[in-house]
Amino acid sequence: EFRRFSLERSKPGKFEEFYGLLQHVHKIPNVDVLVGYTDIHGDLLPINNDDNYHKAVSTANPLLRIFIQRKEDADYSAFGTDTMTRKKNVLSNVLRPDNHKKKPHIVISMPQDFRPVSSIIDVDILPETHRRVRLYKYGTDKPLGFYIRDGSSVRVTPHGLEKVPGIFISRLVPGGLAQSTGLLAVNDEVLEVNGIEVSGKSLDQVTDMMIANSRNLIITVRPANQRNNVVRNSRTSGSSGQSTESSLPSSTPNILANFLQGEEESDEEDIIIEDSGEPQQIPKAAPTSESLESLTQVELLHESTQNGFLPSSEMNLNHSAGSISMEYEVKDPGHKSLEEDGTIITL
Amino acid sequence: MRRFLRPGHDPVRERLKRDLFQFNKTVEHGFPHQPSALGYSPFLHLMAIGTRSGAIKLYGAPGVEFMGLHEENNTVMQIHFIPDQCQLVTLLDDNSLHLWSLKQQSGASELREEHRFTLKGPPGSPPSATQITAVLPHSSREVLYLGTESGNIFVVELPSFRVLEDRTISSEAVLQRVPEDYCNRRSCELVEALQEHPKNPDQILIGYSRGLIVLWDLQNNKVTHHFLGSQQLENLYWQRDGSKFISCHYDGSYTQWPVSSDNRQPEPLENLVPYGPFPCKAISKIYWQTTKNGLPYIIFQGGMPRASYGDRHSISVVHGSQQTAFDFTSRVIDFFIIFSSEPAAEFDDPSAMVVLAEEELVVIDLKTAGWPAVHPPYLASLHCSAITCSHHVSNIPLKLWERIISAGSKQNIHYSNMPWPIDGGTNIAPDPPQRDLLLTGHEDGTVRFWDASGVCLHLLYKLSTVRVFLTDADPNDNMNTLGEDEWPPLRKVGTFDPYSDDPRLGIQKIYLCKYSGYLTVAGTAGQVLVMELNDEDAEHVVDHAEADLLQDQEGYRWKGHEKLKTRDGPVRFEAGFQPFVLVQCQPPAVVTSLALHSEWKLVAFGTSHGFGLFDHQQKRLVFVKCTLHPSDQLALEGPLSRVKSLKKSLRQSFRRIRRSRVSSRKRRGGSGNASEVQEANARFDQDALQEMELAPVQRKIEARSAEDSFTGFVRTLYFADTFLRDSSRHCPSLWAGTNGGTVYAFCLRIPPAERRMDEPVRAEQAKEIQLMHRAPVVGILVLDGRGIPLPEPLEVAHDLSKSPDMQGSHQLLVVSEEQFKVFTLPKVSSKLKLKLTALEGCRVRKVTVANFGSCKTDDYSENDLAVLTNLGDIQIISLPFLKLQIRYPCIRKEDVSGIASCVFTKYGQGFYLISPSEFERFSLSTKWLVEPRCVVDMPEVTSNNHGHKSSMENAARKS
């Protein structure tokens, strides 16, 4: 089933609007679909947020080919590099159907269906000896699960090698988030916590900083084991000699600070429970300006319901893009029962 | 958030900040911690106290005080004022001498160290040769005589501290004319006492520890008299006319000796053991004071019968047939007698005795019959029972001030009316701008009201909550009532009493409404008392109410302490604050937060289990709210379970130590020769080292969760009249913040005044905010439409504050340990925030709104947040935009009790404990600064002063 319609290239709008438009033109208002497009290399790539939607519109030359699949029977493996070229061999697959059937595709869900638990970030701006690890505490039940201690490390200074006090990872709790990522190890030296250098700070201060940032913890470490470092093509052997510890503080914090500005705010949604006796008019959720971020919020809530959070009957996801931080308000006439149970609401 | 860390770019604001903020530690209130020496200048009427940390503090008339600190931080052993000078010499325990001077600088006097000096003996001599034991500043003001352990007396010139070697009085020279048999029996040993002849400055009395006393003639460098004491000497004192002196001894005796020109080796006139015949303790210091009526005062320290009263810290005053042994609450450091210093006067006529005990200063009026104590205007023992909390109220209305003073004066009737006898110097500080009260809660269930307006922290009134409860202590157990013929005639003096009858009586929270005179205090066993100021004694029944904070939480047993038993029936209360309602929290856990709204007549209280609201007008509990997480076993069971585990861990660590000792001994025992022992030792050390490395100090990094302990602990309570439900109608509300980062808001319906007694107060939960970062909520505040904090209850009614702006939209400020966050009201949405912990690694310990006025213009002032962090830093944060203004290091971060005790005032000052007995006062404001400013003038030296004369003589002799 094909549709053809026009979009204004300069003002593509939001993905949500586009998604709504697609559902509208296909008259499938309540069907979840996966949207994909073919880029200039002929790869089938997904469209599921503002960024890749804009990218898709900008690369349209002049036509943008969009593929829509029903979510339930989507072929996730279809996406990726060389997917379109492989598609050309579909016929050959068809010719040998038995072979194809014996190897059913392992269903790998879309990136949006995953929740990241950790990532290595800022590889391009950090010295190769360092690693910046982001641990996403929210959404998982796993404890962060690590300990830090005082220690001393050797620094290169103008006066030669000098022993300076440092903070080190002393223990990883088995099964904890830190251990499961494999990105942190015992005796890794902690250099920064969410962009703030730890040098000159006491163990207790660093502990407090880490706990305060525990929902979105970004630790820059110097791994004790330097053999697994990311090797970059751009800066090869020559630069590694230069990347001493002293070069780090001067170069990175500003960049990181910019980077954190946007990131940091999303981890701070306090819950407000209104509890007035009278029934209230609940405004209909109008996700006009919703981004991927707010979708994950929904999931976040959903996730917590499984952990003892009673689902609230109505909720108003109110995301004002301009404000410094976001709140969502849960207007919950059913709250009385919560209180009687003595359940403390957790998220 | 980083932008807050950068210095502001606005030059106007930067200038304004300089006019508003400034950090100063201004004065130390209270009693010096670990005093070690006392000195007094009868000439300047100044008293000096030295401490074990090397501080020296001078006190005169109220408001006149100076402080100095020896760089070495060594114990001050002795303090001697130079006669007729604004100078004093201190001796430290490292045998160094320091000369301090009071010098005038821009209109006010300052205490400064001028010189320091350490006596050096000839090369090769033992250190004891120059170890100073006695110091005599000679009345000529030119030399110091320094008695040493070796028995030699060195002479040093002032102020240069040059040793005058030709004038050294060696023990050999002294022993020359001592009879052979006496000389053989004992050597001179150390110099115990040096006293100048009161009439003849050329003679000094030298007492050696083994009992030999000689009168030395400075002119001819020879001994004129020998006094062959048989007992170990402690001290000496001249009679005023110089015809006799008195010596006191180690065996508890004192001896009078005559001094006359005809007998060069007199026998003692009288030898007495005042508390004999059984062995007595030493008399370490003695005074002989003559009076007009002929009967002398003999005042001595110690001498109690060793077996039965050896543990008493006593000073006995004997005057004719009157004799009292003042029994002090702690060790006596030293004492002095204030007597007529007029040289022409024929008699001493002592007026007061000033005793420095280890924990307090006691002054006894010797002129009034019965020798009552004098109420000191300063040096109050803040810690007479340990301080458990403090509360500061600024700008007390005159009416309330007078009523508190009058209640206090009724408590002080047993004190002497004598004016304060130490009255040197002149206080030139401007009068304090307002009347401030500092309330301290104590472990023994008392609340003390201090006048904190000026430099002298002065006790106004003491309130005891003990009467409400039944305690083990018998209230009639009066230590002072002794039988007539009791011997020794002991009399307890002083207020220091660190032993609490019952720790549950301890005061934890205090709130005073300065407009209505309502006071509420809450204690360790969940007791909340509401009190009213009554100018008369009264007997009435205290109403009781129970607040069951656990409500429906079943199946838990409180394992902590029980609630206090209350007294049935009417209780007699003295004038002052009298309790009329007792609200008892159940379980009786320590009350952790308290708020009083005197206009609405409501009291809110919180513990680790929840919080409640009490209507003290109708004496009815309005509601309770349990804040406990069901899994928080620790909070439910109370502190006892924790004690148990502590005990267990202590036991384990002791076992570990013992085991390691045993094993090391075994190893040593098993090894045959020295090298093996060494090897074993090395191995042991290595093992120990390894063990240390295996278990380093480590910190767990874990996000806070709802299941953490003590999340329900109520940290803060706040009343506000604001827009809680909708933006058109404001209503009274109660806010509570917990340790787990939850804020509860309750909408209150208070009946109008005319039906206040008829209709109940109603409360309904309106909001619950869970901070995502879950840090403890330490402060809640509502800002009005202009961004100004809401005024205190009754403040507007008394015309002391503009009424809040109820037109614009209100804002809610929630301060957690980790961040500051402003929300809109009534729809709670986050407006702005300032992160502290995430960026700096420090946490909020105390926070208050303070008003800062500009020192340049009278018409500018602003409200800011004064914040103390766990690192001991003070930060000032602007309202309502939450910008960091300035940061000052204030308390050492290791000083946990100092940080915990800190209290801010409403006008940018603060107090914190630097020791159990001393508050440091600091100021953040350029405008409100309370610091000592005083002048000490050299009094005119009278022409017939013997000291003066002798110096003239000396000058004449030199020329």
Side-chain angles (χ1 to χ4, degrees):
Chain A
E1 201 185 335
F2 297 93
R3 297 281 189 282
R4 188 165 184 159
F5 57 92
S6 63
L7 270 175
E8 199 173 331
R9 189 189 291 269
S10 56
K11 273 187 266 169
K14 298 266 191 225
F15 169 70
E16 285 301 325
E17 295 163 9
F18 177 66
Y19 188 80
L21 181 66
L22 286 180
Q23 286 182 324
H24 176 73
V25 296
H26 287 274
K27 299 197 173 60
I28 43 166
N30 291 319
V31 181
D32 284 343
V33 292
L34 290 183
V35 186
Y37 75 104
T38 51
D39 75 343
I40 46 169
H41 307 295
D43 296 339
L44 179 61
L45 298 174
I47 300 179
N48 48 25
N49 59 36
D50 283 353
D51 289 338
N52 55 20
Y53 167 57
H54 291 164
K55 176 78 179 164
V57 173
S58 66
T59 55
N61 190 20
L63 278 180
L64 178 65
R65 286 179 66 199
I66 305 272
F67 296 85
I68 297 176
Q69 290 175 284
R70 204 187 262 273
K71 213 168 196 172
E72 307 68 288
D73 47 36
D75 179 9
Y76 292 97
S77 65
F79 293 106
T81 311
D82 295 339
T83 40
M84 288 318 283
T85 42
R86 267 196 281 124
K87 278 259 158 108
K88 286 173 185 160
N89 298 332
V90 165
L91 265 178
S92 59
N93 283 338
V94 173
L95 289 174
R96 284 175 283 156
D98 48 327
N99 190 14
H100 182 67
K101 272 173 192 163
K102 273 179 191 166
K103 282 205 277 180
H105 279 289
I106 299 162
V107 176
I108 299 171
S109 46
M110 292 287 288
Q112 67 179 36
D113 295 337
F114 283 111
R115 188 171 302 104
V117 290
S118 66
S119 53
I120 299 185
I121 57 175
D122 294 341
V123 180
D124 48 339
I125 54 171
L126 281 178
E128 283 160 21
T129 51
H130 297 171
R131 182 184 295 164
R132 187 166 290 163
V133 178
R134 182 170 181 174
L135 297 175
Y136 303 81
K137 164 68 182 134
Y138 56 86
T140 72
D141 298 335
K142 275 188 181 167
L144 281 171
F146 68 101
Y147 289 74
I148 56 171
R149 63 167 169 90
D150 280 317
S152 61
S153 74
V154 179
R155 295 281 159 103
V156 184
T157 68
H159 318 291
L161 293 177
E162 229 173 60
K163 252 193 164 183
V164 292
I167 304 288
F168 294 84
I169 294 176
S170 60
R171 190 157 90 85
L172 297 178
V173 177
L177 190 58
Q179 193 218 33
S180 66
T181 64
L183 300 176
L184 297 172
V186 171
N187 292 333
D188 285 2
E189 183 181 0
V190 178
L191 301 170
E192 290 176 3
V193 175
N194 288 51
I196 313 285
E197 268 187 79
V198 305
S199 77
K201 291 201 158 60
S202 69
L203 183 63
D204 288 330
Q205 267 175 289
V206 177
T207 307
D208 283 341
M209 284 167 70
M210 287 188 172
I211 291 173
N213 286 306
S214 57
R215 309 228 133 232
N216 179 25
L217 184 59
I218 300 167
I219 330 177
T220 310
V221 294
R222 187 165 55 151
N225 178 359
Q226 289 280 334
R227 272 172 301 190
N228 298 334
N229 292 347
V230 180
V231 180
R232 290 189 296 269
N233 299 328
S234 54
R235 279 205 259 163
T236 45
S237 56
S239 67
S240 61
Q242 296 294 316
S243 58
T244 54
E245 292 71 23
S246 50
S247 72
L248 174 72
S250 56
S251 62
T252 53
N254 293 338
I255 306 164
L256 187 72
N258 294 337
F259 153 74
L260 286 173
Q261 283 294 316
E263 295 281 353
E264 222 181 353
E265 308 303 345
S266 61
D267 65 329
E268 284 292 331
E269 306 102 20
D270 305 326
I271 310 167
I272 287 96
I273 297 162
E274 299 277 350
D275 187 9
S276 42
E278 313 121 40
Q280 289 190 341
Q281 185 80 36
I282 309 298
K284 192 81 189 153
T288 47
S289 61
E290 285 299 297
S291 66
L292 177 71
E293 208 162 26
S294 58
L295 284 176
T296 54
Q297 284 177 10
V298 180
E299 284 183 4
L300 200 89
L301 261 179
H302 185 70
E303 171 77 16
S304 347
T305 60
Q306 293 158 4
N307 306 332
F309 181 88
L310 297 176
S312 39
S313 47
E314 288 108 337
M315 60 184 71
N316 171 18
L317 295 177
N318 185 355
H319 176 193
S320 49
S323 76
I324 289 179
S325 84
M326 295 172 297
E327 314 290 343
Y328 48 90
E329 217 165 294
V330 185
K331 310 227 173 191
D332 186 9
H335 174 69
K336 275 274 155 68
S337 62
L338 280 184
E339 199 189 305
E340 280 158 20
D341 292 348
T343 318
I344 289 188
I345 296 178
T346 59
L347 184 74
Chain B
M1 286 302 125
R2 282 218 135 213
R3 62 184 177 269
F4 294 127
L5 293 178
R6 283 202 293 268
H9 300 298
D10 180 4
V12 179
R13 181 66 197 164
E14 287 304 303
R15 239 190 339 269
L16 184 58
K17 272 157 71 171
R18 277 199 295 279
D19 294 346
L20 291 170
F21 313 123
Q22 155 190 320
F23 180 72
N24 282 301
K25 291 187 181 175
T26 56
V27 59
E28 290 171 7
H29 295 303
F31 185 77
H33 187 50
Q34 296 184 315
S36 56
L38 176 70
Y40 178 67
S41 168
F43 172 69
L44 298 172
H45 289 228
L46 288 180
M47 166 177 69
I49 295 175
T51 72
R52 277 166 62 175
S53 52
I56 168 157
K57 295 176 169 199
L58 267 60
Y59 297 90
V64 176
E65 44 180 277
F66 302 94
M67 198 194 139
L69 187 65
H70 292 92
E71 250 170 53
E72 294 85 352
N73 291 118
N74 278 331
T75 301
V76 180
M77 304 298 287
Q78 294 183 28
I79 302 173
H80 299 275
F81 281 88
I82 311 297
D84 308 337
Q85 295 282 317
C86 286
Q87 284 183 319
L88 63 153
V89 169
T90 55
L91 171 69
L92 303 192
D93 69 347
D94 63 355
N95 205 36
S96 61
L97 286 166
H98 302 254
L99 180 69
W100 296 80
S101 294
L102 283 169
K103 289 252 166 88
Q104 291 200 11
Q105 181 88 26
S106 60
S109 297
E110 285 176 14
L111 181 67
R112 259 188 263 142
E113 190 179 348
E114 303 255 296
H115 289 287
R116 63 187 62 192
F117 167 71
T118 305
L119 190 61
K120 289 200 178 61
S125 60
S128 68
T130 53
Q131 184 69 47
I132 299 167
T133 51
V135 178
L136 170 66
H138 194 256
S139 60
S140 68
R141 298 172 243 159
E142 285 162 355
V143 289
L144 280 182
Y145 291 92
L146 305 173
T148 61
E149 267 186 18
S150 62
N152 295 329
I153 295 158
F154 295 89
V155 186
V156 294
E157 200 176 55
L158 280 178
S160 63
F161 282 126
R162 194 165 60 87
V163 181
L164 303 172
E165 282 182 23
D166 54 323
R167 290 169 72 177
T168 303
I169 305 167
S170 68
S171 48
E172 291 81 15
V174 169
L175 286 174
Q176 267 173 10
R177 294 191 34 211
V178 173
E180 281 283 302
D181 58 327
Y182 190 86
C183 194
N184 285 345
R185 270 199 296 133
R186 52 196 73 212
S187 67
C188 278
E189 286 230 326
L190 62 89
V191 178
E192 200 66 70
L194 285 172
Q195 296 285 340
E196 184 179 327
H197 193 287
K199 296 290 176 195
N200 180 3
D202 289 331
Q203 289 190 331
I204 58 171
L205 197 60
I206 306 168
Y208 295 94
S209 62
R210 282 289 171 92
L212 173 67
I213 305 161
V214 299
L215 189 61
W216 180 266
D217 189 291
L218 296 170
Q219 290 287 1
N220 306 312
N221 273 330
K222 65 175 176 88
V223 175
T224 61
H225 293 71
H226 288 95
F227 308 91
L228 307 178
S230 56
Q231 278 298 333
Q232 199 167 323
L233 185 75
E234 288 285 324
N235 219 326
L236 297 169
Y237 194 80
W238 279 105
Q239 212 184 72
R240 194 177 181 93
D241 60 3
S243 66
K244 273 187 261 177
F245 70 88
I246 194 162
S247 64
C248 57
H249 303 276
Y250 184 75
D251 65 345
S253 66
Y254 63 83
T255 309
Q256 286 184 48
W257 304 84
V259 181
S260 61
S261 51
D262 45 307
N263 190 350
R264 296 288 168 185
Q265 200 172 303
E267 289 298 308
L269 284 176
E270 187 194 17
N271 188 7
L272 204 73
V273 183
Y275 295 111
F278 299 110
C280 289
K281 295 200 80 169
I283 294 179
S284 48
K285 189 171 181 179
I286 192 159
Y287 275 87
W288 175 292
Q289 301 276 293
T290 56
T291 61
K292 235 177 253 131
N293 66 17
L295 283 173
Y297 278 88
I298 295 171
I299 300 165
F300 57 90
Q301 174 187 351
M304 282 285 134
R306 192 171 282 275
S308 26
Y309 297 96
D311 57 339
R312 301 302 176 100
H313 315 287
S314 74
I315 293 177
S316 304
V317 180
V318 186
H319 178 61
S321 59
Q322 291 177 62
Q323 178 163 357
T324 300
F326 292 99
D327 184 6
F328 295 91
T329 54
S330 52
R331 195 166 60 89
V332 173
I333 303 296
D334 201 355
F335 73 104
F336 61 84
I337 306 295
I338 298 175
F339 54 88
S340 167
S341 58
E342 185 61 38
E346 211 175 323
F347 302 103
D348 290 317
D349 282 325
S351 54
M353 172 168 79
V354 179
V355 182
L356 177 69
E358 195 150 43
E359 307 289 356
E360 62 186 327
L361 183 82
V362 177
V363 178
I364 305 288
D365 175 3
L366 295 177
K367 284 195 148 161
T368 309
W371 298 331
V374 185
H375 192 50
Y378 45 69
L379 284 167
S381 283
L382 298 170
H383 63 318
C384 34
S385 169
I387 293 179
T388 43
C389 65
S390 30
H391 174 70
H392 186 273
V393 192
S394 299
N395 216 352
I396 306 284
L398 184 62
K399 184 83 188 126
L400 177 70
W401 188 257
E402 284 171 343
R403 291 176 73 189
I404 291 172
I405 289 179
S406 109
S409 63
K410 286 173 194 157
Q411 297 177 323
N412 291 339
I413 40 171
H414 58 280
Y415 280 113
S416 161
N417 296 320
M418 176 191 236
W420 184 242
I422 304 164
D423 56 358
T426 317
N427 181 8
I428 55 166
D431 279 342
Q434 56 187 27
R435 290 168 296 272
D436 285 359
L437 264 185
L438 180 67
L439 280 67
T440 53
H442 297 262
E443 202 182 22
D444 63 354
T446 59
V447 179
R448 274 155 229 252
F449 290 62
W450 305 91
D451 174 1
S453 328
V455 169
C456 294
L457 193 71
H458 179 66
L459 181 66
L460 295 178
Y461 164 71
K462 183 179 126 183
L463 162 75
S464 177
T465 61
V466 181
R467 282 179 173 280
V468 181
F469 306 103
L470 275 174
T471 54
D472 299 334
D474 183 359
N476 297 323
D477 178 20
N478 196 338
M479 301 293 274
N480 284 345
T481 51
L482 285 173
E484 279 292 298
D485 46 338
E486 196 79 33
W487 191 259
L490 285 166
R491 192 173 111 196
K492 275 247 179 239
V493 280
T495 54
F496 179 70
D497 179 17
Y499 309 106
S500 167
D501 297 333
D502 190 335
R504 293 176 298 169
L505 289 168
I507 305 293
Q508 295 294 334
K509 293 284 161 189
I510 305 171
Y511 191 100
L512 171 70
C513 171
K514 62 184 178 187
Y515 303 109
S516 62
Y518 279 114
L519 170 74
T520 172
V521 299
T524 305
Q527 73 271 34
V528 180
L529 284 164
V530 190
M531 314 195 198
E532 219 172 356
L533 190 53
N534 186 348
D535 298 324
E536 302 296 329
D537 288 15
E539 190 165 333
H540 57 80
V541 178
V542 177
D543 281 305
H544 290 216
E546 290 239 327
D548 180 13
L549 295 171
L550 277 188
Q551 286 174 298
D552 306 326
Q553 304 277 347
E554 294 283 322
Y556 295 111
R557 204 158 58 85
W558 168 252
K559 294 179 188 162
H561 48 233
E562 283 175 27
K563 67 171 186 179
L564 284 159
K565 284 197 186 69
T566 50
R567 236 173 249 280
D568 297 326
V571 184
R572 179 141 202 96
F573 295 102
E574 57 182 22
F577 288 94
Q578 297 173 348
F580 61 93
V581 169
L582 165 69
V583 184
Q584 177 63 53
C585 298
Q586 278 297 3
V590 48
V591 176
T592 56
S593 56
L594 187 67
L596 172 76
H597 200 294
S598 41
E599 200 168 349
W600 302 337
K601 311 256 190 265
L602 296 174
V603 177
F605 47 89
T607 72
S608 49
H609 301 98
F611 59 96
L613 182 67
F614 188 81
D615 172 3
H616 67 74
Q617 175 100 10
Q618 292 184 24
K619 296 177 181 158
R620 199 183 64 89
L621 191 66
V622 179
F623 77 93
V624 290
K625 164 90 181 162
C626 181
T627 54
L628 266 191
H629 193 270
S631 69
D632 192 353
Q633 200 73 18
L634 207 56
L636 281 162
E637 289 179 350
L640 218 68
S641 54
R642 251 208 309 190
V643 172
K644 247 183 232 161
S645 67
L646 179 72
K647 240 191 228 164
K648 196 172 150 199
S649 72
L650 271 177
R651 204 179 302 136
Q652 275 170 349
S653 59
F654 275 121
R655 247 180 231 152
R656 206 159 37 230
I657 291 167
R658 207 178 308 139
R659 213 180 299 136
S660 70
R661 279 205 192 125
V662 168
S663 63
S664 71
R665 218 178 293 136
K666 260 186 207 156
R667 265 181 227 172
R668 278 174 209 179
S671 52
N673 56 42
S675 72
E676 258 179 70
V677 171
Q678 248 170 17
E679 205 178 305
N681 277 354
R683 207 166 44 224
F684 175 66
D685 288 348
Q686 211 171 13
D687 285 357
L689 235 148
Q690 247 169 16
E691 200 172 332
M692 254 160 61
E693 271 169 1
L694 276 177
V697 179
Q698 49 176 13
R699 297 281 184 274
K700 189 179 186 185
I701 306 299
E702 204 45 81
R704 290 196 187 81
S705 77
E707 285 82 39
D708 284 352
S709 267
F710 292 111
T711 50
F713 191 115
V714 179
R715 290 290 291 266
T716 183
L717 289 162
Y718 178 68
F719 284 108
D721 185 0
T722 189
F723 301 93
L724 188 55
R725 282 266 168 73
D726 57 66
S727 48
S728 53
R729 279 173 301 139
H730 57 92
C731 67
S733 61
L734 171 66
W735 299 77
T738 72
N739 230 22
T742 314
V743 175
Y744 301 94
F746 279 75
C747 192
L748 307 179
R749 200 169 302 149
I750 297 160
E754 60 275 15
R755 295 195 300 275
R756 183 64 179 81
M757 282 307 283
D758 311 327
E759 290 175 21
V761 175
R762 294 193 190 282
E764 232 180 320
Q765 180 162 348
K767 280 186 169 56
E768 184 177 331
I769 305 167
Q770 174 61 57
L771 298 177
M772 258 341 234
H773 61 288
R774 294 195 179 280
V777 177
V778 292
I780 298 173
L781 187 68
V782 172
L783 308 173
D784 73 3
R786 292 184 292 259
I788 297 168
L790 293 184
E792 280 174 48
L794 291 174
E795 203 172 8
V796 175
H798 283 71
D799 275 340
L800 288 160
S801 166
K802 272 192 273 183
S803 37
D805 179 5
M806 292 311 225
Q807 304 304 319
S809 55
H810 282 195
Q811 298 172 67
L812 170 71
L813 170 68
V814 177
V815 182
S816 78
E817 281 190 359
E818 293 186 352
Q819 49 180 264
F820 303 81
K821 209 159 183 183
V822 172
F823 297 89
T824 59
L825 283 176
K827 198 178 94 56
V828 179
S829 64
S830 169
K831 208 169 161 194
L832 56 118
K833 69 179 162 188
L834 172 60
K835 285 188 176 183
L836 192 69
T837 313
L839 295 175
E840 296 178 41
C842 57
R843 303 156 69 93
V844 178
R845 280 284 172 267
K846 304 275 168 171
V847 60
T848 319
V849 178
N851 186 275
F852 290 92
S854 165
C855 61
K856 292 271 170 64
T857 51
D858 274 344
D859 54 350
Y860 183 79
S861 75
E862 63 175 46
N863 290 304
D864 296 277
L865 291 175
V867 178
L868 176 75
T869 70
N870 65 334
L871 303 180
D873 285 347
I874 287 178
Q875 306 196 354
I876 297 174
I877 291 164
S878 71
L879 282 176
F881 298 111
L882 301 183
K883 299 215 176 181
L884 175 64
Q885 300 297 305
I886 210 151
R887 179 201 323 251
Y888 305 105
C890 179
I891 311 176
R892 283 181 311 112
K893 70 175 177 203
E894 297 81 15
D895 184 4
V896 179
S897 62
I899 292 172
S901 66
C902 180
V903 50
F904 287 108
T905 78
K906 258 188 94 177
Y907 295 94
Q909 296 195 40
F911 301 85
Y912 67 91
L913 288 172
I914 46 175
S915 73
S917 58
E918 285 166 291
F919 272 118
E920 174 82 59
R921 186 189 195 112
F922 61 86
S923 173
L924 303 167
S925 161
T926 52
K927 206 172 176 184
W928 305 92
L929 205 64
V930 173
E931 59 183 344
R933 200 174 150 75
C934 39
V935 180
V936 175
D937 287 316
M938 281 274 285
E940 285 286 308
V941 178
T942 43
S943 59
N944 55 354
N945 182 301
H946 63 270
H948 193 104
K949 195 174 68 196
S950 84
S951 78
M952 286 201 301
E953 274 171 9
N954 281 352
R957 202 165 52 239
K958 268 180 196 160
S959 65

